[in-house]
Every structure is written in C-alpha cells, then in structure tokens.
Amino acid sequence: MLRRPLLAAAVLAPFAARAQAWAPTRPIRLVVPFAAGGSTDVAARIIAERMTETLGQPVVVENRTGSSGFIGTENVVRSPADGHAIVMAATGTTTIAPHLYANMPFNPQRDLTPVSLAFASDLVISITNSHPARTLPELVAAAKARPDSLSYASSGAGTTTHVATELFRLAAGIEMLHVPYRGSGQALNDMVAGNVHVMVDQISGSIGQIRDGRIRALAVTGATRHALLPEVPTVAEAGLPGAQCSSWGGIMMPANAPAPIVARLNAAVRDATTHGPVRSRMAAAGADPAHSTPEAFAAFIAAETEKWGRVVREARITVS
C-alpha cells in the first residue's frame, strides 16, 4: 500500500530540486508600468528589497510609464523569458483594459506568465464635505432623490477608480456624472474644493485628506474593515455587498517561461510577502501582502477579467 506514495515522492523530488536550481545571473528588472510614488510603485519597491536578499541579485524597480500601463508591460512581454525581466501587473492594465481597447499591443492572459499575486489594496468611497450625506445609504438616497445631481471624480477614463465607481453605481442603482482627471491628485483637490462630490480611490491616496478632515470616508470596498480606517464600514455593512472590490498587484513575466524560473520567483515573492518587516511596511502603505501559486494567480486573473468585463458592458464604459 505504501509503494504508490513512495513512487510519487521519488518522482516529485527531482522536480522540486530542478525547480530550485535556477538562480539569476544578473540584476532583475521589476518593471512598474506606472509613475514612481504611486501605490503600485511603493509596494513593488518594498517587495523588491526583500527579493534582492532572497535571490542574491539586485531586483531593480524600473518605472516605464505611459499608455495606461501598456508601455511598461509590453517591454516585459517582449523580453526574454529568462527571469531577468518581470512586471508588477495591476488590475487596470491586466483585467480592465482588454475590455476597453480593441488594439492592445498584447494579451495579458496569452502573452504573460503568472508568477504570484503580491498584494491587494481596498478602495475607499469618499464624499466632499460640502455635501450633507454622512453615510453611504444617505449618499445613495440623495442620488435617487435627485438623479444626476451628483458627480464623481476618477483618475482617468477606464482606470480602476473609474470602473470601481461604476461598480458601486450599478450596485446602488443610481446615476452620477463622471468627471475624469489626469491622476487622483487633482481629483482629490477638486473634491476638497467641492467641485466634485464623490470619489472611489486607493486608501493610500485619500487617507491624508480623510485624516485631516478635508473629505469624509463613507465606506471601504474590502470584505472587512481596513486597519487604517477602522471606524469606516465596509460596503457590505453599508448595505451594498455588490460594490465589494479591490485593486491588486502581482508578478508576471513573459509567456512560456520555464517552470523552474517561475517556481524560484514564486518562492521569492512568498518569502517577501510573508516576511514580518515587509508586511508591516506594506500595511502602513495601505497594501495587504498576498501570495499565491502561479495556477491560482492565473485563475484569479481570469475571474477578475470576467468581473470587470461585466461592469464595462453594463455601465457601457468607453474610452477615446
């Protein structure tokens, strides 16, 4: 009865050894397809420091911005799949953009190899102080009483903040006017000034304004309350479980990457995201460290792609 398990162990042992045999021979480029200082960039730099220690080669964060993350991601897509070029993939470019752009220069699920989820970030629904609503139900009631009286800001058409707000709007059954900006900074400034009413944003981006009392947080979009805003209810607690969502980041590399390289990088991400100091630093930045197998990450991407595609279709979102 023991012969089959022993045989399985004998077969798996050489594979496990091969999976750990690869090691980088030069610095690894971790491409962040967004600007330095943003939530994805901050999380990537924290993780890269620990991966450097684990892999024995520098993991260098390289910001390649432009075209909704396409430029940086395509750079990795077109790189050799030898483990020395990886990308911090994110919600918008990986799972939302395919539904908005007919001529994307790459297909995320075809042209990239999932390595591991790295972090997730809940969003926060906030309102300008000039509006009387103090809770999410009050905001929804005000929108229903006066359709099209509310406006919402986003960091740009087709971005995660835009589509996440549309998810909230659909779940609430309300109408709001979309006012897109070039980044969340200007959008937040206009919220403070009362020029727009609502914004669904990264917690890390809005928390300063919330803590200073310049805007009011009504709900967070995660499954549980967030440690940085423990007094703020979740969307489910506020009566809108259908608005639950998060943004995320994960490590991917070019298509057809050899299994031993994927396994070694996956192990490095697991080490980083379970390392106490890394977890503390990421939590302080509003990100929840995460890890997954490559297969689980691929399934997660597929599910997220389906989810956001449904929102894009139902909300009839288009970009110029």
Side-chain angles (χ1 to χ4, degrees):
M1 295 294 293
L2 295 176
R3 298 180 68 179
R4 186 180 297 275
L6 287 173
L7 177 60
V11 171
L12 290 173
F15 174 80
R18 290 197 304 273
Q20 295 299 322
W22 178 82
T25 58
R26 60 183 186 276
I28 295 173
R29 295 188 304 118
L30 172 50
V31 175
V32 174
F34 308 107
S39 58
T40 302
D41 176 71
V42 170
R45 291 179 185 277
I46 295 171
I47 291 170
E49 288 183 22
R50 180 63 182 177
M51 290 181 68
T52 293
E53 298 177 23
T54 304
L55 294 170
Q57 287 283 351
V59 178
V60 182
V61 173
E62 182 179 302
N63 297 96
R64 285 182 173 253
T65 64
S67 299
S68 302
F70 293 172
I71 290 176
T73 306
E74 186 181 16
N75 175 267
V76 172
V77 166
R78 298 186 181 281
S79 297
D82 60 4
H84 295 94
I86 57 180
V87 63
M88 184 61 81
T91 313
T93 306
T94 311
T95 62
I96 296 175
H99 303 288
L100 296 172
Y101 299 93
N103 297 310
M104 278 184 68
F106 57 90
N107 180 313
Q109 294 190 67
R110 181 194 65 208
D111 299 329
L112 289 165
T113 298
V115 174
S116 175
L117 189 66
F119 68 90
S121 298
D122 295 342
L123 308 173
V124 58
I125 303 174
S126 299
I127 192 166
T128 179
N129 284 341
S130 64
H131 194 279
R134 297 279 170 176
T135 66
L136 197 64
E138 289 180 2
L139 168 62
V140 172
K144 289 182 176 180
R146 296 182 57 197
D148 296 325
S149 65
L150 290 175
S151 60
Y152 76 87
S154 79
S155 56
T159 61
T160 302
T161 60
H162 175 202
V163 183
T165 311
E166 286 296 306
L167 174 65
F168 158 59
R169 188 187 65 76
L170 290 169
I174 60 176
E175 297 296 330
M176 293 191 294
L177 174 66
H178 178 213
V179 183
Y181 291 82
R182 292 188 176 182
S184 61
Q186 185 182 359
L188 283 167
N189 288 338
D190 265 13
M191 270 193 70
V192 171
N195 296 326
V196 286
H197 301 103
V198 177
M199 186 171 182
V200 180
D201 190 25
Q202 302 279 353
I203 290 177
S204 59
S206 292
I207 194 165
Q209 306 283 21
I210 293 169
R211 285 176 171 170
D212 289 344
R214 305 179 75 187
I215 59 177
R216 292 195 302 275
L218 301 182
V220 293
T221 64
T224 60
R225 294 197 180 198
H226 199 278
L228 295 181
L229 295 169
E231 73 287 355
V232 179
T234 67
V235 287
E237 289 174 326
L240 288 176
Q244 184 175 313
C245 66
S246 66
S247 64
W248 52 266
I251 300 296
M252 302 184 79
M253 59 186 300
N256 303 314
I261 299 178
V262 175
R264 185 73 178 93
L265 290 173
N266 181 277
V269 176
R270 181 179 65 245
D271 172 84
T273 55
T274 57
H275 186 59
V278 169
R279 294 184 65 84
S280 296
R281 291 174 62 194
M282 291 183 70
D288 296 319
H291 172 263
S292 66
T293 65
E295 295 78 13
F297 189 27
F300 174 77
I301 290 171
E304 285 280 285
T305 301
E306 180 180 353
K307 170 184 177 175
W308 293 119
R310 185 167 60 251
V311 175
V312 168
R313 291 190 300 272
E314 291 182 7
R316 299 180 181 178
I317 299 171
T318 59
V319 292
S320 57

